[in-house]
Amino acid sequence: MEYDQVKYISTVASCGSINKAAAKLGVAQPNLSHAINTLEREIGKTLLLRTNKGISLTPEGKQFTLLANGIVTQMDTLEKTFAQNESAPAVLLTIATSPSQITLACLAELNESLTDERVVIDVSMCTMVEIVEQVKNLQAELGIMLISDAQRKELKRHFQQNQLEFEEVARRPFCVNLGKKNPLFGQETVRFEDLLQFPLARIREDKFTYLEHTASVDSASIKNFKQVYYFDNDETILNFVRQTNAVKLGYYWCAEDYAKIGIHTVTVENHSYQVTLGWLHRKNDVLSPGARRF
């Protein structure tokens, strides 16, 4: 078994097509198919099912791909770190994070602390499900997460099942972010029910973020908003809030940064609902120097 074969399987699985994988890898499609067929003969297992509609993974293929993804990620990181002429190794860190301004603020602080050090930091913006999978499968050393009270119990159970550990950094009450076009912009506190008349801007949901629909404040919840806009990154949400009367449910950690771009952070009355900031890692793993630094 050769590394190229491992990488080929990983790429085909992610692309869902041998033709697309060949184009991404820059190899001829017949050569890619031959390499995969050779690998299957060597290990005595069928990894891919080929049909006119494309390819799918066998159970053995899914298990192989799970391990292969971690190997490919680590090899890519090794190449970025050591395939250079400089003799000093780089500070290395792989992070999976929700699309959040908090992670960017942390990276900016880390960047200020670095002088002439060589650094390789690989950041993936993910859903909560993807963060867990990437840390579990060695694709990321750390996962930066914001966990609401509605998600806390289910995520704790999921972490335990997958030998992951969540380290809490801070807990704060949830709040709301408003732009100047929202009539509640100048207020210091609002009632949750008063927000329901405005559009809600949110990160696209997965099975963990959907749990927030079960939380309520004064008998109202996210499902009571008549208009909801879903986006795949925090920057787009902030721009949407700035340009409309939409609201964003958030946290206090970035209030000063938001104020600089014309977004006001407002306290929501009569609730004990909190958000926890923390980082996820594999249980019993020794953290790299880059992770300890972060």
Side-chain angles (χ1 to χ4, degrees):
M1 185 186 305
E2 298 181 357
Y3 172 67
D4 280 350
Q5 294 171 310
V6 174
K7 185 174 183 178
Y8 289 170
I9 286 289
S10 175
T11 306
V12 169
S14 65
C15 291
S17 162
I18 290 180
N19 288 335
K20 291 179 181 178
K24 183 175 181 178
L25 291 163
V27 300
Q29 186 269 330
N31 292 344
L32 177 58
S33 295
H34 176 73
I36 294 174
N37 291 335
T38 301
L39 173 62
E40 290 178 320
R41 287 196 300 271
E42 288 176 357
I43 64 176
K45 302 288 185 182
T46 299
L47 303 177
L48 301 178
L49 295 176
R50 302 155 178 86
T51 68
N52 293 333
K53 296 182 179 180
I55 62 98
S56 60
L57 294 171
T58 65
E60 292 84 359
K62 292 179 181 178
Q63 183 179 14
F64 188 97
T65 300
L66 184 65
L67 297 172
N69 289 343
I71 293 171
V72 171
T73 298
Q74 295 301 317
M75 281 296 294
D76 287 345
T77 304
L78 283 171
E79 289 176 356
K80 292 176 184 177
T81 306
F82 294 103
Q84 303 181 39
N85 294 326
E86 293 87 345
S87 58
V91 175
L92 170 64
L93 179 60
T94 52
I95 299 172
T97 177
S98 301
S100 165
Q101 300 297 310
I102 291 180
T103 302
L104 298 180
C106 292
L107 289 172
E109 186 175 332
L110 175 64
N111 182 64
E112 290 179 0
S113 72
L114 300 171
T115 54
D116 295 329
E117 298 175 73
R118 293 178 52 234
V119 180
V120 175
I121 300 178
D122 192 330
V123 181
S124 297
M125 297 293 181
C126 310
T127 64
M128 296 187 79
V129 169
E130 290 168 342
I131 292 172
V132 173
E133 290 300 307
Q134 288 204 20
V135 175
K136 181 180 73 172
N137 298 330
L138 305 175
Q139 294 173 280
E141 184 176 9
L142 300 181
I144 310 303
M145 303 184 77
L146 289 157
I147 298 177
S148 68
D149 285 347
Q151 301 161 338
R152 192 178 180 87
K153 183 178 179 180
E154 177 62 21
L155 278 168
K156 182 178 180 180
R157 182 185 66 81
H158 197 70
F159 295 157
Q160 290 174 342
Q161 289 178 344
N162 290 281
Q163 295 298 301
L164 301 174
E165 194 159 351
F166 182 72
E167 309 286 351
E168 292 190 10
V169 175
R171 277 171 62 79
R172 297 290 300 275
F174 100 100
C175 58
V176 62
N177 302 122
L178 308 171
K180 293 181 180 179
K181 292 189 176 181
N182 190 294
L184 304 178
F185 177 80
Q187 298 185 196
E188 292 304 316
T189 66
V190 296
R191 296 183 305 170
F192 191 83
E193 64 184 39
D194 292 335
L195 302 173
L196 301 178
Q197 60 186 303
F198 305 112
L200 174 65
R202 284 176 56 78
I203 287 289
R204 192 166 289 130
E205 293 181 339
D206 60 23
K207 67 179 182 181
F208 293 130
T209 52
Y210 189 78
L211 292 171
E212 293 183 343
H213 287 260
T214 64
S216 63
V217 179
D218 287 340
S219 301
S221 69
I222 290 174
K223 60 187 177 184
N224 296 123
F225 281 91
K226 294 181 179 180
Q227 299 177 26
V228 183
Y229 292 80
Y230 290 101
F231 302 93
D232 60 7
N233 65 80
D234 208 39
E235 183 177 3
T236 305
I237 291 177
L238 293 174
N239 284 331
F240 185 71
V241 170
R242 286 176 59 196
Q243 297 175 36
T244 68
N245 63 348
V247 302
K248 171 184 180 292
L249 302 182
Y251 32 78
Y252 285 95
W253 289 289
C254 293
E256 291 184 5
D257 292 330
Y258 286 178
K260 294 175 183 177
I261 60 173
I263 292 180
H264 187 41
T265 301
V266 183
T267 299
V268 179
E269 300 173 1
N270 302 323
H271 79 91
S272 59
Y273 195 63
Q274 300 213 334
V275 180
T276 302
L277 170 65
W279 52 281
L280 186 69
H281 64 99
R282 288 177 294 278
K283 192 175 291 186
N284 302 322
D285 273 14
V286 177
L287 295 178
S288 69
R292 292 198 299 271
R293 189 80 170 269
F294 185 79

